[in-house]
Structures are given as C-alpha cells and as structure tokens.
Amino acid sequence: MKTRAAVAFEAKKLLEIVELDLEGPRAGEVLVEIKATGICHTDAYTLDGFDSEGIFPSVLGHEGAGIVREVGAGVTSLKAGDHVIPLYTAECRQCKTCLSGKSNLCTAVRTTQGKGVMPDGTSRFRYKGREVFHYMGCSTFSNFTVLPEISLAKIRDDAPFDKACYIGCGVTTGVGAVINTAKVEAGANVIVFGLGGIGLNVIQAAKMVGADMIVGVDINDAKADWGKRFGMTHFVNSKNVQGDLVPHLVALTNGGADYTFDCTGNTTVMRQALEACHRGWGESIIIGVAEAGREIATRPFQLVTGRVWKGSAFGGARGRTDVPKIVDWYMNGKIEIDPMITHVLSLDEINKGFDLMHEGKSIRSVIVY
Ligand code: NAD
Ligand code: AHE
Ligand code: ZN
C-alpha cells in the first residue's frame, strides 16, 4: 500500500512529505493507521545528527496513537479496529529483563529496532524502490506504519487520539520517572531541570504524589507560568543566579533536594542536578538524552556521601501493562494533558513543529492526520 510520511532523508535537513510504499504486516506484526503523533525533543535530537543510532533515510516519530488495520500471522493479542499506542520500549513478557520484574528495558526487539528494521531484519518502508528505515520501532510520522505486536499497547476506544498520543512518550516518561524510577514520597522536596514536554509531566506527577517543594529550573522565563500551572512551587532561572547554581538550590531546599530530575539532556545540568541532591540520600534521575560523545562527571565524593545517580527510560513503564492505566488516569482527570498540547498541525506543517520546539514556543506540537 501507499502511505504519506514525513521522511528524514538526511541529518540536519528539513523533513520531506512524500508517498512511500509500505509492505503489509509479516508474522507477529501489525499494521496501524496513525491518527495523531506528538513531536518529542528526541525526534529533533536524531534529526540534528546527535543520535549514535541515527540512520537515514528514516521515518521519525515515536509518540503516536492510532487504530489497528491488519494483523500478521500469529498475532493473538490485537485485532483490526483496536485502538493502540506504539511503544518504543516493547514488552514481550518473556525475555530475561521482562521476567526479572526489575526493569522495563525489554530486549526482545531492541537490537533490530536500533538498526531501523523489523525483527526479521528488513524494513517495510520503501521510496522509489530504496529502503527507508523505521525509527525507535514506531515511525509515527507516517500515516500508516508496521510494528511488532509486542510494541503496541491496546488502549480504551474513547480516548482522543490527539491527546492520547502524548502518552506514547512525554507523559509516561515524566510521570513514570516520578512514580516508577524515583518513587517520590509525599512530603519530599523535588527539583526539576528543564520545564518542557517532559519536565512539566515530572512536575504534575510530583504534585500528584504529594511532594512538598517542587522547584523548577529553566533558562527560559516563559516556562515559569507553565511550571506553576502544574504544581511548581518555586522557579529559578539559572541564567539569573548570582554565583553558582548548586549552592543556591541547596540553600533553597534546606540542604538539597530529596529527588532531582534532569529533563534537558545537557551534561553540565546533569552534574548540577546530582550535586543539588541532599547529602546522604538525595537521588538524581537522568531523563534527558545527551548528544553522542558527551559524558557525565562529578567528584566521586558526591556518591561516597550518599547521593545516588539513576537513569529512566520511558519512565520505567512496562508499556503494554502501564500505558493503558495512564490513559485511564488521563480520562479520569487524575493527570492533565490538554493544556500542554500547545499546537495542532497537519503533516505538511511538521517542520514548523520542530521550529516551535527549538524556539521554546511550544510544549507539545501534535500532528493530526
Ligand atoms: P523540550 O525542548 O520540550 O524541553 C527542554 C527544556 O529544557 C526547555 O524548557 C529548555 O528551555 C530547557 N533547558 C534547556 N537547556 C537548559 C539548561 N541549561 N538549564 C535548564 N533548562 C534548560 O524537550 P522535552 O521533549 O521535554 O525533552 C527533554 C529531554 O528529555 C530531551 O533530552 C529528550 O531527548 C529527553 N527524553 C528522554 C526520554 C527518556 O525516556 N529518557 C523520553 C523523552 C524525552
Ligand atoms: N539512541 C540513543 C539513546 C536515545 C535514548 O536514550 N532514548 C531513550 C528514549 S528517548 C524518547 O524520547 C530510551 O528509552 N533509551 C533506552 C533505549 O533502549 O533506547 C543512543 O545514545 O544511542
Ligand atoms: Zn520521546
């Protein structure tokens, strides 16, 4: 079949809207009509050539929602008509990691996914006879896409696609990092670095679990009102702090935060986030994705004296199990999504969505097909 898609032909170039050939689902695969997709900073990071795994030409996009249109041989958990959210972190429930119960980092399809192909080693997308690669196993910047069955969460039929798509990455990542990774408890003091599409979800989850101080740090003053809207109690523009940021934050939180979250991808900020933790027990969670080649550093004494460095991928969520629950939380009013979707665009306008992100003017742009 044919599908309209925004294709990244080369790093650092605009996406091009073209018609691709899409082969139907093979065994264990599912054809999905994507109804809406968000644009996450990670899409921009890959398009800008910062991703060690970046491959071109490819169909980016990993924050979608849609409807199953066809299933391949052997697919048992989904059928045509089911509403689904694509998962860049699959959940096979059979690999060593899934069975461990200790991590969401399912290994079943991760190796082929990182190479831009389906588990059998081939791509379903072609342009003028040439192979076009999948991205993060999702490729939601295509109106139709093919995914492994284990990379799809079935969700309720009444969830609106243009909001539910955000649960495919940003919402689950931010909320999950608070609940699953940090396990923030009521009364804790929290610092969130980077108040974008991820950081605001960390803030709303910290408020939901009853955190006491929720400090937001950003370099863009326009983010102060956004943070307050979701529960931030104090805002710090790190560019305006006289002297070092870390002692300022440690003083503000009476000795350091119980939990800090990096939602910037900047390795200098990651160090500040670790060092702004309380001596003896503070935990810093890295969510941001750093450019290829970047490394983090701190004095080992920071860890010797009890601070803990952790990372969180997809908020530690087990996609097929946890994503439908987060959709319920949204539908029941437990978490908010609507105000964070600042721009709704057509596929033809997708490059504008990237511009808005880089200019700091959007929280989330959503493409509606
Ligand atoms: P975004 O562009 O919406 O927000 C980033 C925010 O960080 C902006 O408000 C920006 O002003 C702020 N910022 C930039 N530099 C800063 C600095 N030096 N100090 C303080 N604030 C600064 O991006 P997003 O979609 O929220 O994504 C944030 C990060 O999370 C990206 O690195 C993205 O790749 C990553 N991410 C990780 C996961 C995961 O599973 N680990 C999932 C989604 C996104
Ligand atoms: N491909 C990069 C790493 C990118 C990365 O860390 N991705 C996050 C999700 S970002 C979503 O917006 C993640 O889940 N990582 C775990 C995984 O298995 O990919 C690189 O450095 O090679
Ligand atoms: Zn993302």
Side-chain angles (χ1 to χ4, degrees), residues 223-256:
K223 299 297 173 102
D225 285 344
W226 277 105
K228 284 181 203 147
R229 168 77 179 74
F230 293 100
M232 181 184 77
T233 58
H234 301 71
F235 177 71
V236 175
N237 184 327
S238 45
K239 278 188 170 168
N240 298 343
V241 172
Q242 305 287 327
D244 286 345
L245 176 64
V246 169
H248 178 81
L249 293 172
V250 169
L252 182 64
T253 52
N254 189 26

Side-chain angles (χ1 to χ4, degrees), residues 99 278 283:
L99 291 175
H278 201 288
E283 294 192 9

Side-chain angles (χ1 to χ4, degrees), residues 169-186:
C169 184
V171 173
T172 303
T173 297
V175 171
V178 170
I179 291 173
N180 302 321
T181 310
K183 301 185 173 67
V184 174
E185 67 278 0

Side-chain angles (χ1 to χ4, degrees), residues 41-42 169 173 194 196-198 218 223 263 269 287 289 312-314 364:
H41 207 118
T42 308
C169 184
T173 297
I198 308 302
D218 207 294
K223 299 297 173 102
C263 310
V269 174
I287 302 175
V289 172
S312 184
F314 196 39
R364 261 318 188 247

Side-chain angles (χ1 to χ4, degrees), residues 318-332:
R318 293 170 174 84
R320 291 161 76 202
T321 304
D322 295 337
V323 161
K325 293 181 192 166
I326 296 182
V327 173
D328 285 341
W329 291 359
Y330 164 63
M331 295 299 285
N332 298 338

Side-chain angles (χ1 to χ4, degrees), residues 63-346:
E63 194 175 77
I67 305 177
V68 170
R69 290 303 179 202
E70 191 185 335
V71 300
V75 170
T76 55
S77 65
L78 292 166
K79 59 180 186 318
D82 284 347
H83 292 206
V84 288
I85 288 181
L87 302 169
Y88 60 84
T89 306
E91 184 188 354
C92 75
R93 299 175 176 159
Q94 288 174 354
C95 71
K96 182 181 175 187
T97 302
C98 283
L99 291 175
S100 77
K102 295 179 180 179
S103 164
N104 66 329
L105 296 174
C106 174
T107 56
V109 298
R110 183 62 184 84
T111 305
T112 45
Q113 180 173 308
K115 294 182 175 137
V117 290
M118 287 287 105
D120 73 352
T122 61
S123 172
R124 302 287 158 270
F125 293 111
R126 291 200 168 261
Y127 181 61
K128 296 182 177 171
R130 187 181 160 203
E131 189 170 51
V132 173
F133 293 102
H134 298 251
Y135 174 66
M136 292 176 71
C138 296
S139 291
T140 58
F141 293 168
S142 175
N143 195 181
F144 290 83
T145 185
V146 170
L147 301 98
E149 175 184 17
I150 58 169
S151 302
L152 287 163
K154 180 172 158 24
I155 62 163
R156 54 198 276 175
D157 289 354
D158 57 346
F161 295 113
D162 59 344
K163 312 294 188 311
C165 62
Y166 196 7
I167 297 170
C169 184
V171 173
T172 303
T173 297
V175 171
V178 170
I179 291 173
N180 302 321
T181 310
K183 301 185 173 67
V184 174
E185 67 278 0
N189 287 340
V190 169
I191 306 176
V192 184
F193 295 77
L195 308 183
I198 308 302
L200 293 178
N201 279 293
V202 171
I203 288 178
Q204 77 160 325
K207 162 116 179 162
M208 184 171 79
V209 301
D212 191 352
M213 288 179 86
I214 306 176
V215 180
V217 180
D218 207 294
I219 50 175
N220 179 353
D221 277 331
K223 299 297 173 102
D225 285 344
W226 277 105
K228 284 181 203 147
R229 168 77 179 74
F230 293 100
M232 181 184 77
T233 58
H234 301 71
F235 177 71
V236 175
N237 184 327
S238 45
K239 278 188 170 168
N240 298 343
V241 172
Q242 305 287 327
D244 286 345
L245 176 64
V246 169
H248 178 81
L249 293 172
V250 169
L252 182 64
T253 52
N254 189 26
D258 300 303
Y259 301 95
T260 68
F261 296 85
D262 167 70
C263 310
T264 70
N266 178 312
T267 50
T268 303
V269 174
M270 291 175 189
R271 179 175 190 154
Q272 292 166 338
L274 187 269
E275 296 179 359
C277 283
H278 201 288
R279 183 177 175 278
W281 65 77
E283 294 192 9
S284 186
I285 318 300
I286 294 180
I287 302 175
V289 172
E291 295 172 16
R294 297 274 182 196
E295 295 185 344
I296 48 171
T298 192
R299 287 180 67 215
F301 188 64
Q302 294 285 339
L303 305 185
V304 167
T305 50
R307 294 168 195 83
V308 176
W309 231 337
K310 282 187 180 178
S312 184
F314 196 39
R318 293 170 174 84
R320 291 161 76 202
T321 304
D322 295 337
V323 161
K325 293 181 192 166
I326 296 182
V327 173
D328 285 341
W329 291 359
Y330 164 63
M331 295 299 285
N332 298 338
K334 201 176 226 179
I335 56 169
E336 283 194 273
I337 291 182
D338 300 21
M340 294 188 209
I341 302 192
T342 49
H343 299 80
V344 178
L345 305 169
S346 67

